[in-house]
Amino acid sequence: MNKVLLIYTGGTIGMKEDPADQTLRPFDFGSLMEEVPELRKFALKIDSYTFDPLIDSSDIEPGMWQKLAGIIERHYEAYDGFVVLHGTDTMAYSASALSYMLQNLSKPVVFTGSQLPIGRLRTDGRENLVSAVEIAGSKLPDGSATVPEVCIYFNSLLLRGNRSTKVDADGFDAFRSPNMPPLAEAGIDIRFNHDLIRRPSGGEFGIGTALDTRVSILKVHPGITEQVVKDVLLGSATRAVILETFGCGNAPSRDWFLDIIRQASDSGKILLNVTQCLRGTVNMDLYATGRALSRAGVLSGYDITLEGALGKLFFLMGKNNDNEYVKSYLERNLRGEITK
Ligand code: ASP
């Protein structure tokens, strides 16, 4: 019998209303299993691990990703797949980070959660949980895992984790991977897009838990001031800056803006260009404004999500103190996070 480990970190899926003030607070995981008796019908052995304390995902810190990676590593041999129950607010950040931290993954790690607590009528949590468990336990005829990737299952869609983003604050259809089709869609059956699913590299599984979080994000906008750009780009607390740019990677072309970019780049900072658009890719060769960034030393994030870029930087910077090393890997496709 295939074995799945359910790791419950917190989030709406396992919350209930506090009668005192009607706010949602986490409840005991044992009750969650009682709420979803369907889980017992699978020909799967399902064990669970509960975070203590449970966390609203707005409080997720890289330390919790390290903890999660450690739990998966310790249980890796004993289980065929993992389901991580997680709040939706930062699920795409966590799935992205884990996709880099879990190296040579050959088993599914499926994140899921819900917009309505599982105890509520019309909850989306029940279907999300049941299908996520089915996917985590699914094998191909040769006995290998059907989806050996870190992914997010939500509202009938299985998405690559580091390609996903939360697109709806309160609707059930809350996640998309705008630059990549789903890895699977659940209808009467779960239809896997086998051609898109990454196969294991063959190396030995391991975790990389060193993370360096000295990253700032600068979202450019009309009216951005010189002082703000200076503070973010030249501040001593940052080793890398993600520039969230317009369209296909464009930013203001005024001299002061490019001077600050050049100063930051000359001082060795890592500068990564990620588009503000939901869909499409950075291409700094298209317009003069983009080309100026590229000449000033800004690297292309291609079609990466902001969440995917943040995790990639944390991971690469944690691996090596040399910024040139980080830059040499940033434009490479490490875990299917960019189309290249
Ligand atoms: N605030 C919750 C969280 O992200 C919302 C959710 O679970 O969807 O933890």
Side-chain angles (χ1 to χ4, degrees):
M1 204 188 252
N2 291 340
K3 291 174 75 179
V4 170
L5 183 65
L6 207 52
I7 305 168
Y8 180 40
T9 67
T12 297
I13 194 162
M15 290 192 172
K16 70 175 178 191
E17 249 170 39
D18 185 333
D21 59 4
Q22 279 74 52
T23 57
L24 291 172
R25 295 182 192 280
F27 69 94
D28 177 48
F29 185 79
S31 326
L32 185 65
M33 295 296 276
E34 276 161 37
E35 292 287 349
V36 195
E38 297 94 313
L39 286 176
R40 302 207 171 95
K41 293 192 184 156
F42 281 123
L44 289 171
K45 173 146 173 34
I46 304 169
D47 294 325
S48 63
Y49 183 103
T50 305
F51 266 46
D52 182 19
L54 294 169
I55 26 190
D56 184 295
S57 78
S58 304
D59 285 323
I60 283 280
E61 290 285 341
M64 290 158 195
W65 299 336
Q66 291 159 337
K67 180 173 166 182
L68 203 46
I71 293 167
I72 292 171
E73 184 191 37
R74 282 199 301 285
H75 296 89
Y76 196 73
E77 286 313 317
Y79 290 89
D80 299 282
F82 301 84
V83 170
V84 181
L85 295 179
H86 191 292
T88 57
D89 288 348
T90 60
M91 192 186 293
Y93 289 92
S94 295
S96 292
L98 265 291
S99 77
Y100 305 110
M101 295 166 76
L102 305 177
Q103 299 163 346
N104 297 322
L105 188 65
S106 61
K107 300 184 178 186
V109 175
V110 187
F111 281 72
T112 196
S114 68
Q115 294 281 52
L116 272 182
I118 221 156
R120 290 257 180 98
L121 284 174
R122 297 192 304 104
T123 180
D124 53 333
R126 191 178 303 275
E127 196 283 316
N128 286 347
L129 175 57
V130 168
S131 296
V133 167
E134 184 171 349
I135 291 164
S138 168
K139 295 267 176 96
L140 295 173
D142 69 1
S144 64
T146 308
V147 192
E149 290 208 31
V150 177
C151 35
I152 289 181
Y153 180 83
F154 215 87
N155 196 42
S156 309
L157 299 178
L158 184 71
L159 309 170
R160 176 167 298 153
N162 57 31
R163 292 284 197 156
S164 306
T165 194
K166 187 173 180 183
V167 293
D168 198 325
D170 49 23
F172 288 152
D173 202 11
F175 286 88
R176 279 288 180 280
S177 55
N179 283 323
M180 200 192 147
L183 299 179
E185 288 179 55
I188 290 172
D189 299 310
I190 298 178
R191 293 180 304 276
F192 292 98
N193 290 323
H194 293 286
D195 293 346
L196 296 177
I197 296 170
R198 284 164 69 83
R199 300 313 306 166
S201 56
E204 199 183 326
F205 173 76
I207 60 173
T209 54
L211 299 171
D212 181 346
T213 60
R214 287 176 293 163
V215 179
S216 293
I217 300 169
L218 181 73
K219 184 164 189 160
V220 299
H221 57 83
I224 196 164
T225 66
E226 185 170 352
Q227 194 55 50
V228 165
V229 177
K230 269 191 185 151
D231 287 350
V232 177
L233 274 129
L234 304 179
S236 59
T238 42
R239 197 176 151 194
V241 179
I242 297 174
L243 291 166
E244 267 201 280
T245 55
F246 305 125
C248 48
N250 303 311
S253 59
R254 286 183 294 278
D255 287 345
W256 65 260
F257 186 86
L258 290 170
D259 281 348
I260 300 170
I261 298 271
R262 267 190 293 270
Q263 266 186 64
S265 171
D266 291 349
S267 72
K269 291 224 165 131
I270 304 158
L271 306 175
L272 184 65
N273 191 341
V274 175
T275 175
Q276 294 175 15
C277 295
L278 194 56
R279 200 169 298 121
T281 184
V282 165
N283 178 351
M284 289 189 277
D285 284 334
L286 274 185
Y287 293 92
T289 53
R291 193 161 292 179
L293 291 181
S294 164
R295 276 207 217 99
V298 176
L299 298 175
S300 176
Y302 297 95
D303 58 352
I304 202 164
T305 58
L306 180 69
E307 297 89 330
L310 199 69
K312 193 171 185 175
L313 278 165
F314 285 2
F315 174 72
L316 288 173
M317 286 169 33
K319 242 180 154 39
N320 202 307
N321 280 328
D322 179 3
N323 286 0
E324 293 312 311
Y325 166 93
V326 175
K327 289 180 193 170
S328 73
Y329 277 93
L330 260 185
E331 290 190 333
R332 295 194 211 170
N333 181 8
L334 304 182
R335 305 280 193 271
E337 73 282 4
I338 53 176
T339 310
K340 221 188 157 194

